[in-house]
Amino acid sequence: GAAGCLDSLLYGFVGLRLDDHEPGSVGWKQKLDNGWWLSCTPHLPSAWKTVRIHGLTLLGKRYDLAVTENAVTVKPVGPGTP
């Protein structure tokens, strides 16, 4: 139950993807150290203004995300982050 809700939020509404090739036209994308790509193309419901995700851990690194229908802000967080 809870995993399905989290999947719907992260991969559906927020539009996060992890790909082994560079994504085409997306809201935001970042090449990761291992050659994979993290991207985001939001699909928020019209009543939602912002979704914030703090401490998303991916491939050993942590990120804070702020997603609106028109913008994606991603900041690396944690040890060694400038």
Side-chain angles (χ1 to χ4, degrees), residues 9 18 49 56 67-68 71 75 78:
L9 177 71
L18 183 61
K49 294 188 183 347
L56 175 68
V67 178
T68 67
K75 294 182 181 180

Side-chain angles (χ1 to χ4, degrees), residues 7-17 25-27 39-51 67-72:
D7 280 353
S8 294
L9 177 71
L10 292 177
Y11 305 115
F13 294 135
V14 174
L16 283 179
R17 287 188 53 104
S25 178
V26 295
S39 65
C40 181
T41 302
H43 304 283
L44 299 181
S46 59
W48 294 19
K49 294 188 183 347
T50 305
V51 172
V67 178
T68 67
E69 189 59 42
N70 301 318
V72 179

Side-chain angles (χ1 to χ4, degrees), residues 16-64:
L16 283 179
R17 287 188 53 104
L18 183 61
D19 292 300
D20 62 354
H21 59 279
E22 183 174 0
S25 178
V26 295
W28 172 87
K29 61 185 172 185
Q30 175 67 44
K31 188 172 185 177
L32 303 174
D33 290 343
N34 64 355
W36 285 67
W37 288 82
L38 177 63
S39 65
C40 181
T41 302
H43 304 283
L44 299 181
S46 59
W48 294 19
K49 294 188 183 347
T50 305
V51 172
R52 295 185 189 278
I53 300 170
H54 299 282
L56 175 68
T57 303
L58 179 66
L59 301 172
K61 295 192 178 186
R62 294 179 54 154
Y63 302 89
D64 284 348

